[in-house]
Amino acid sequence: MNFNHTQDFYEHIKGADILEHLKGFLTHEDPNIRAKACSALGNMCRHNSYFYSLLVRINHLVDRCSDGDKRTRKFACFAIGNAAYHNDFFYEELRRCIPQLANLLLSEEEDKTKANASGALSNLVRNSNKLCQDMVSKGAMQALLKLVEDCSVVIPNPSRKDAISESPLKILLFALYKMCTHAPCRQFLRTSDRYPVLGNLRESGDDTISEYASAILKKTAQS
């Protein structure tokens, strides 16, 4: 039977009463279990907000962004991104993960983890402006721009789809574009020493990168 992510399927998961167990697994001593718990919660929040009100609190998920295990950190960023995607229900609780996500962008992490962290930051401004000031004051925008600058040194070859999919550059630029919806973020970008890198990326040779860079520059021209 193909449930196709219908609410009936979600109700079966709810009826199985596994949410508390999953949240408990977030602090399990086995890092594989912590990582899989993050992945499961991320997938449960992927398609709609059905489970948001059932999860109620996700403090332990935020803590997993600074977990000692790299796979757990990667899936925690994935889960937080989905917990922030559909509405701003968790925004206040997720506020404290902003500096952790920023730190991951500047750390020796896998590109996929950095892409997940960028996506999570993007979603934290997707549904309201509650956290846009924090994006500046907690260092998120600075980290995004720093990583954009680092990634722009070696632009992925458009003919190498594997390199493009592995590079977080496009997701970084998309996150910056979403943040530019909010005036404090636009103001920060305009005054940043790294702002000129966006102009350089317009001539990157990759259509998507060029389009994102141009869109950000157009947004930041607004008051």
Side-chain angles (χ1 to χ4, degrees), residues 182-202:
H182 309 291
C185 298
R186 292 197 299 272
Q187 176 62 24
F188 170 81
L189 276 178
R190 282 197 299 265
T191 58
S192 172
D193 291 341
R194 293 190 168 96
Y195 185 67
V197 72
L198 297 169
N200 297 336
L201 287 174
R202 284 187 301 185

Side-chain angles (χ1 to χ4, degrees), residues 140-174:
M141 295 204 69
Q142 294 89 326
L144 285 165
L145 269 175
K146 173 64 166 60
L147 190 52
V148 165
E149 186 176 65
D150 292 346
C151 290
S152 68
V153 174
V154 181
I155 300 293
N157 188 327
S159 66
R160 284 194 57 210
K161 293 184 179 180
D162 58 332
I164 292 174
S165 63
E166 291 170 5
S167 172
L169 182 55
K170 292 181 180 180
I171 297 176
L172 291 165
L173 291 172
F174 181 76

Side-chain angles (χ1 to χ4, degrees), residues 35-97:
K36 289 178 180 178
C38 290
S39 178
L41 289 170
N43 279 306
M44 289 168 68
C45 295
R46 185 172 185 173
H47 299 284
N48 60 45
S49 62
Y50 179 87
F51 289 106
Y52 282 14
S53 61
L54 299 176
L55 289 172
V56 184
R57 298 191 63 79
I58 53 174
N59 280 323
H60 289 318
L61 181 59
V62 174
D63 293 336
R64 298 286 65 80
C65 288
S66 55
D67 195 276
D69 176 63
K70 66 179 183 180
R71 290 182 67 250
T72 301
R73 295 193 297 271
K74 176 173 66 177
F75 287 118
C77 294
F78 162 73
I80 285 171
N82 286 342
Y85 182 81
H86 301 288
N87 58 50
D88 63 358
F89 182 85
F90 284 123
Y91 274 22
E92 286 301 329
E93 193 167 350
L94 292 175
R95 184 187 298 272
R96 70 182 183 89
C97 79

